[in-house]
Amino acid sequence: MKDGLISTYSRLLKYTLPYRKRLIVGIVSGFLAGGSLFGILQLLPNIIRVFEEPTGAAAEPGILSPVAQKLGVAHLSPQGDTMTWQFMIATMVLLLVFFFAKTLCTWLNRYLMHWVGARVILDLRNELFHSLQQQSLIFYGKTDIGNLIARCVNDTAAVERSVADNIADLTRAPAELVALTAAVIYSSIRFELYFLPIAIFVIMPLCILPIVVLGRRIKMYCRRSLERVSDLVARMHENFTGIRVVKAFHMEASEEARFREINMSYFSHILRGLRAELLMAPITEFLTVILLCLLLAYCFINQIRLSEIVSLAGAAILAYDPIKRLAKLNAQIQRSMASAERIFELLDTKTALPISENPVVLDDFQTKIVFDSVRFQYGAEQPWVLDNVSLEIPQGKVIAVVGESGSGKTTMANLLARFYDVTSGSVTIDGVDVREMDMDALRRLICVVTQETILFNDTIANNISYGSAGATHEEIEAAARKANAHEFIMRENFGYERVIGEKGFVLSGGQRQRLAIARAILRNPRILILDEATSALDTATEQLIQEALDALMQNRTVFAIAHRLSTIRHAYRIFVMDKGRIIEQGNHDELLALGGRYRELYELNKL
């Protein structure tokens, strides 16, 4: 547990290295702010002594005061009270200088440490998002999206609050304690009060002990509460995205009951951590008061003068604040470390597809695509999704893949686009394995229109031009016209600047699909993958879209997946899939004449 905490600390500190100059200045400022307390405490006895020593006529030249005798110095005012007041004024000026230095250094420490802390979190959040963007689709297939959102938002926010707000105290409070400890030791030697520092250093660890013990419990409960809040976000995300189903089946009350149960679990873990955290300050205060009472009692019994103990008493009183801040810091750091560990768990997850050391860049597609004895499964214990699939797709031809749901059609498209890697065999473009290709070059060659239309909460124009940076309004409009989308776009207010809501919520299914097709038309790829691209269109619109797709398909290679066999009648070659295998292939007429599975599917489509 301890090694893990140290590892998390050190890993988080590495993010401060690019900003080490500001960090060093901030830390030095914190030490100077804390160190100034030493000078302040050494000046206090001199000010108090002015009121304790006999002055003016009461002062007898040549006679040493008790304090002067103990210090081994002559009386401070042998000429009456004039020099005493001059001395006091000089001392007060020095006191003001020390306080000004402390104020300035404290401000620098807080500002620079806040800056570094906030910047570290900015970099950490950017790296986390980058890491998630690089994960494979297998990762997203196994991970709850709500949980990811909670980690990206709640966990980074927890670390941000702790690091940005408390890193200043983390550098300043220990310096203050060091300065106060030095002041106690120096004053004890100066006034020969050796018992007091011994008592202080025996009791002081008792003030630190509850901070350490309770801090461990806080971290444990904080991690559990973060897991519960992740469950909360996941529940909310799933509910909101499926709200139509919830309402259709009248499950509102059931969903509320599930949410309340998870919310109560989160609440109980929050309270347990809170109880431990709130105990820190009272325990620290109580032990500090005990220490102060022992100091006063000892001084009263031994008739020690105020000027002799003011440094010790001042150090004991001033030590309360940094100890209290350290107690609070420890609780908040334990919280942040629980969040940081969850963030680093995500950063350490590596499911990205391997990148070739010397990737091949294809600027164009010229000959053919080949599936050579391809086998694929989602995991070692999972059944084969594709089993020994081999086929060729000549450049400029339209091929179609048909079959029942779960037969492996979409998996073939995913392997061609390299969303996944084959388990065995290979997929090649112009003789180059897609695993050896430069990913940017592959993505430029291929565009995918899926049956699940993905649109963003943005304008229609930005959704159409997604992935086509620099597209002009004229090009966007031309693509929309080809996709038969321009008319419905212009019927509404704002036209192409209309914001369509999350996943295109304000549009119908057919309208969303036409925007997705317009996006593919604008991208103008060499290889086009159509995964049930016209499945949500009515008959009239489907015909218009099919005409647009026919125009788009000219001189391009198309990998089409369709349930509506009428849309692929003119395909160069049709492959019939069943349980991950190709069981029939040929053109439309050949497959009909064969009288096999394709003919059965075709007859079912006609009903």
Side-chain angles (χ1 to χ4, degrees), residues 86-103:
Q86 290 175 345
F87 177 79
M88 185 182 71
I89 291 172
T91 303
M92 292 177 68
V93 169
L94 283 175
L95 191 65
L96 290 174
V97 170
F98 275 114
F99 267 106
F100 176 78
K102 182 180 183 299
T103 302

Side-chain angles (χ1 to χ4, degrees), residues 184-195:
V184 168
I185 295 173
Y186 178 78
S187 298
S188 300
I189 295 173
R190 184 182 182 189
F191 295 110
E192 299 179 359
L193 301 174
Y194 302 114
F195 172 78

